[in-house]
Each structure stands twice: as C-alpha cells, then as structure tokens.
Amino acid sequence: MPSAIGATPPLPPSTSPRASQPSAELTLRLARSLGELLPPGQSAKAEVLAVKEAQVSFQLLLRLTLADGRQALATAESPRALPQGSSLNIAALSPTSLAATLLTSNSAPPLSEIDLEQVPAGTLLQGKVLSSEPLDEAEARQPAYRILLRVLNTPLAGRQLSLDSAHPLPIGSLLSAQVQASQMLRFMPLSSRLERLDLARQLASQQSRQAALPALFDALQGLKQGSDLPEGLRTAVDSLLAGLPDARQLSDPDGLAQALQRSGGFLEARLLQGLAAQGDFKANLLRLVAQLLPALGTATPALPGNGQPFAPEHALPALARSVFGVPGARAEEGGFPLPGRLILDPRDDGGLEALLKLASAALARLQTHQLSSLAQSETLPDGTLLNTWQMEIPLRQQRSLVPIQVRIQEEQRQKDREQKGEILWHLELAFDLDTLGPLQVQACLAQGALSSRIWAELDSTVRLIEGELGHLRQRLDDAGLTVNQLSCSQGKPPRSQRTAVEQHWVDENA
C-alpha cells in the first residue's frame, strides 16, 4: 500500500508568555467524563497524539497512562496548541476538567519529505501511528487520510512523518514501510514477515536433517559392487554417479557453468521453465530415493539423525524472535559453509536402509543450501539489493568425492533513482582435500578489480599456496583482471560482517 508524504504545516506558535518555560500549566476540558477511570484528585501521565485547531481553541487527542499501567484515549479542549509527542502530567480536577503540566515537547514539525542521504531508497522504515484523520473534500479529490507516524528506526528515529494514505490506520499500530522516494513509502504487509518466519522454520528443519555427502558416495560405491540389486535401483545408482563432475570438467568455463546448473540448487526453477532435469544432482537423488522405498517396503523415508521428526512448536518462539526482532534476540546467519555431520551408527550394516538415510540427509543438505539462498537474498537497510546463490558441487576425484561448497552474492548498491549503482560480486568456496586439508576462499570483484584471500588450516598448505600466489596473479592479469590483493592466512575466516542484519520490532502489548 503506497502512501505519499503529505505537507502538514507546523503548529501555530503559542502566544502564551509561558511557552518558553520548561514547564507550563494549563487547564484542559474533556469532551467526555473519564468516570472511575480517573476520579477527581488522582493523576496520570499523558501524551499528545494529535492536535486540531478549532474556532477559539485546540482539540487534543491524548493517550493517558494510569498509575496501574492501564492506557486510555481521551479528547480534550486546550486554550493553546501543544505539539504532537508532548508529555504531560495531568490531575483530575472534576469529571471533565484536568490540570495539565507540560513536561517535554517535540517542537520539531512533522516531516513532509525524507532526506534520501540519511535514509536511502529501499530502506525499511518502521514507525508507530500517532493519529489518523480524514482529509477535507477540498484538500483531497477522493477519500484520503492524513496519518501522523513516529519513526522508530533509522537516523530519523524519534521524528514524525505526515503521510497521506488512501486507508485509515489504527492509532498505536506498528508499521513497516519501504522507502520508495523522498515522498513515497510502500507499506510491508504482515504476510511478508510470516513468509520469513516460515522460511526460517523450514531452514531449521532441513539443517537439522542434513549430513555431509562423502558418506553417501562411499555407500553408493560399495553398493555398486554388489550384483543382486534390482534393475531400477542399479540404474538410479549408475545415473547419480555418472552425473558427478570431475576436475577436468570444472576447469573448463562451460563445464563449470553446467556443473553449477546441475548442482541441484536450480532444479525447481528449471522444471518451471519446462527445461529437462537430465543429470541434475537433486533429481538423481530423488530418483534414488524413489527406487529405495519399494525395495525396503516402506512408503516414507527414514529420518536421519535420531529418527525424531522436527517439532516446529519447540523452535517457533526462537524463530519468531529472530524474524520479528524481539529486543535482545539475534538472528542467525544463513550458514556458510555447512558443517559436516555423520548420521549413521558405526555398528550399522550399511544396507539399503542406511543408504536411504544417507540419501535423505543429502537431499536435506541441498535444500538447506536452497533455503539459505532465499534467506540471504533481500534489500538491506541502506537500500542495497543482495542476491545470493548457495550450493554444493560434488567433485568426483578418482574413487573419492570432494564436495565444494559455493556461495555467490550479487550486491547492487543504489546510487540514486536515475543512475544505476555499483555492482559487487562476492564468491566464497569451501572444500577439504586429503593432501591440503580444509580450505576456504573469499573473493570480491568490482569494476574489473579483484581481491581475494585464502584460508588454510595446515601450515604446510599455507606455505605451498604462498609460493604459488605470484603465478596465480599472473594468470589473473592475463585474463584481463586488475588484481588488488591476493593473500593466504592460516586458520578460518572470521564470520562475515556483510550478511544483512535487519532491525525488527513487535508490539509486546499487542
């Protein structure tokens, strides 16, 4: 629901000589008696939510906070205007008369335009509705409402925005809106937050079931040597093994592109486009599971790990805090690289049931990568658009398997509305070779300039890579790239600070 930022004139200055004093007293007359809510002689706190000029006075919309914490709305008549957001001490003189002492006031007039230097387009703006009043017919050609919103985040936190909306908004409601332009906001519906919650729930479910791929490959190699497999199962095993790329294929640009496409991360997208799934790793895994189920005489795959299904009711509160942003909660990152875990008991005989568990865990691992890609693709608070593709390529190396985890991120930094901003590409790799040990690579490409850093856990591997960095730099220069930095360090890279951390909130009283 887009809304324009209206130009509300500032409140008229008060002519009272007490206006400049830090504390001012005045008498307010209530439109309706508060009755037992605030009997004469009792006091409360009040906040000015809205001000409307009448013929000889001003009408105030007040939110009262009583001593026991209860809140109520009241309309009062004031001899002078009080800025929205002002805090008052009030005491009931009679059922319809209040003595008010002005404590603090927000004298800055409501904003009629957003400074895109402070809050760039694409930023998620969060606020609370202070007032919602219909516009006069002379001011609006169609039914419209003037909304006063207090900003709760960004550098504008504490300021008020005056908005023109086609729909009324409940006073006190909390809203999220994306900045479209200096005078245009697009409100984000609750459904989008619920989608993020469901995504986080699914990601937690799949990640709890996933396991590393080499165990599956070893089981397939051992199963292939047997001669008593059903024909359909043997075909499924042969197709899966034959579809795994080797080092020679990944060293060729076209072969690498094909391996990325067939890694399983794009299966659903290819099927929606009517493209064939021949050779796709995830599709071959699904065919293998489909052949294993009848061979075992079961209709549902065995769950990896302890065999217990994922119970969303246990994880839901934590997920809700991470998605909706309850204060004190911290959202988990998408997870790269995924940790390896073993799901089989060492005493397992390695039969078809064990293979089914491994295949199910491999499917969960691929789906964890897919869900992580969705979770890390978003618009950052500064308006930067981040697209993420995370996947895993099982590299066949003679009789062993080396899974290569890949994360590619496209970072589109917004410059302004007329000119397209800068695009940065981030590439991360993680793999473990028998002779070199665990390795992780991070590279950034911007405007033809490349910077890269390698982390190795073995000291011997660090020395080997450092001796080859000059040769790598030369090859990158020959490819037409400007190399800014190439380095190798021992250990593991620090947790990425580039992952989006978005501020959220919920109304705990709702």
Side-chain angles (χ1 to χ4, degrees):
M1 180 177 67
S3 291
I5 299 179
T8 301
L11 294 171
S14 172
T15 57
S16 171
R18 298 189 180 189
S20 60
Q21 298 177 1
S23 172
E25 295 182 358
L26 64 160
T27 301
L28 307 180
R29 183 169 298 279
L30 294 171
R32 295 179 57 184
S33 171
L34 294 176
E36 296 182 356
L37 192 63
L38 191 67
Q42 292 194 8
S43 60
K45 300 286 187 181
E47 179 185 2
V48 179
L49 299 182
V51 182
K52 186 176 181 180
E53 186 175 3
Q55 291 183 351
V56 294
S57 61
F58 296 88
Q59 291 182 351
L60 307 180
L61 178 63
L62 303 176
R63 180 172 58 200
L64 310 183
T65 302
L66 307 180
D68 58 5
R70 290 182 299 166
Q71 292 188 336
L73 295 177
T75 302
E77 184 178 308
S78 171
R80 65 183 182 87
L82 297 178
Q84 289 97 334
S86 301
S87 297
L88 305 172
N89 261 342
I90 59 171
L93 302 176
S94 69
T96 58
S97 179
L98 300 175
T101 302
L102 180 64
L103 298 178
T104 62
S105 67
N106 182 7
S107 58
L111 296 174
S112 59
E113 186 174 0
I114 291 177
D115 184 357
L116 296 181
E117 293 291 332
Q118 288 186 297
V119 185
T123 301
L124 184 68
L125 200 68
Q126 298 161 341
K128 188 170 186 177
V129 177
L130 300 180
S131 65
S132 178
E133 297 181 355
L135 290 175
D136 296 335
E137 294 183 1
E139 192 174 353
R141 295 183 180 179
Q142 56 185 1
Y145 297 82
R146 177 64 50 80
I147 310 296
L148 190 65
L149 190 76
R150 177 186 295 158
V151 182
L152 301 178
N153 68 338
T154 74
L156 300 180
R159 296 296 305 273
Q160 296 175 4
L161 284 178
S162 176
L163 311 175
D164 291 342
S165 171
H167 305 279
L169 299 177
I171 295 175
S173 59
L174 303 176
L175 300 174
S176 293
Q178 188 181 56
V179 177
Q180 300 287 301
S182 61
Q183 291 187 306
M184 183 67 66
L185 299 176
R186 179 173 294 277
F187 289 112
M188 308 292 289
L190 179 61
S191 60
S192 65
R193 293 285 177 245
L194 295 178
E195 289 172 1
R196 301 292 295 185
L197 178 62
D198 185 59
L199 175 60
R201 181 182 66 83
Q202 293 291 341
L203 181 56
S205 172
Q206 296 298 331
Q207 194 155 0
S208 69
R209 301 178 181 185
Q210 64 86 23
L213 299 179
L216 171 65
F217 184 78
D218 294 340
L220 290 174
Q221 292 280 40
L223 189 66
K224 188 178 179 182
Q225 297 174 2
S227 58
D228 56 347
L229 292 179
E231 184 61 29
L233 180 55
R234 176 172 291 277
T235 301
V237 172
D238 291 340
S239 297
L240 192 149
L241 294 176
L244 301 179
D246 55 21
R248 185 175 181 179
Q249 179 181 346
L250 295 187
S251 63
D252 176 72
D254 293 336
L256 175 60
Q258 185 182 69
L260 292 173
Q261 286 288 340
R262 294 182 175 181
S263 65
F266 305 100
L267 173 63
E268 291 79 4
R270 290 175 63 84
L271 293 176
L272 286 174
Q273 297 174 15
L275 302 176
Q278 189 69 27
D280 186 90
F281 184 40
K282 186 176 180 181
N284 287 335
L285 274 175
L286 290 169
R287 294 189 187 100
L288 176 63
V289 171
Q291 292 296 326
L292 285 169
L293 291 177
L296 288 169
T298 180
T300 56
L303 291 172
N306 58 11
Q308 297 298 319
F310 175 69
E313 63 273 11
H314 299 313
L316 191 57
L319 292 174
R321 285 193 295 270
S322 68
V323 173
F324 290 103
V326 173
R330 185 175 180 179
E332 294 293 327
E333 294 192 12
F336 187 90
L338 288 184
R341 52 188 292 264
L342 301 176
I343 63 169
L344 294 183
D345 192 294
R347 297 167 294 181
D348 202 304
D349 60 5
L352 294 183
E353 184 175 354
L355 181 61
L356 180 58
K357 289 181 180 180
L358 291 171
S360 300
L363 278 172
R365 190 173 181 89
L366 296 185
Q367 288 168 175
T368 299
H369 284 301
Q370 290 178 292
L371 292 168
S372 294
S373 300
L374 292 175
Q376 298 172 79
S377 298
E378 58 183 330
T379 301
L380 306 186
D382 63 356
T384 298
L385 180 62
L386 188 68
N387 294 315
T388 303
W389 298 270
Q390 184 171 314
M391 65 201 78
E392 192 160 358
I393 302 175
L395 171 64
R396 182 159 41 91
Q397 194 176 42
Q398 297 178 352
R399 294 186 57 82
S400 63
L401 175 72
V402 180
I404 302 176
Q405 297 191 54
V406 182
R407 179 163 67 176
I408 303 171
Q409 290 187 311
E410 179 193 28
E411 191 174 325
Q412 298 183 17
R413 296 183 176 178
Q414 190 138 16
K415 211 166 188 180
D416 53 45
R417 285 178 292 171
E418 292 77 18
Q419 187 175 1
K420 191 174 182 180
E422 180 184 9
I423 296 181
L424 282 74
W425 289 95
H426 299 273
L427 171 67
E428 296 181 63
L429 304 175
F431 50 93
D432 188 348
L433 298 175
D434 291 337
T435 56
L436 300 178
L439 285 162
Q440 292 191 50
V441 181
Q442 292 184 355
C444 177
L445 178 65
Q447 298 179 347
L450 176 72
S451 296
S452 180
R453 190 171 180 182
I454 305 171
W455 281 267
E457 296 189 18
L458 300 181
D459 181 63
S460 57
T461 303
V462 174
R463 293 196 302 269
L464 176 63
I465 294 175
E466 286 178 341
E468 295 293 330
L469 287 180
H471 178 60
L472 176 59
R473 180 182 291 271
Q474 183 60 51
R475 294 193 62 181
L476 293 171
D477 287 337
D478 295 341
L481 294 173
T482 300
V483 181
N484 289 336
Q485 179 188 11
L486 281 180
S487 63
C488 182
S489 303
Q490 187 173 4
K492 297 179 180 180
R495 291 180 66 88
S496 173
Q497 300 299 318
R498 191 167 24 84
T499 302
V501 179
E502 190 179 356
Q503 301 284 338
H504 299 285
W505 41 260
V506 294
D507 188 354
E508 298 182 11
N509 298 321

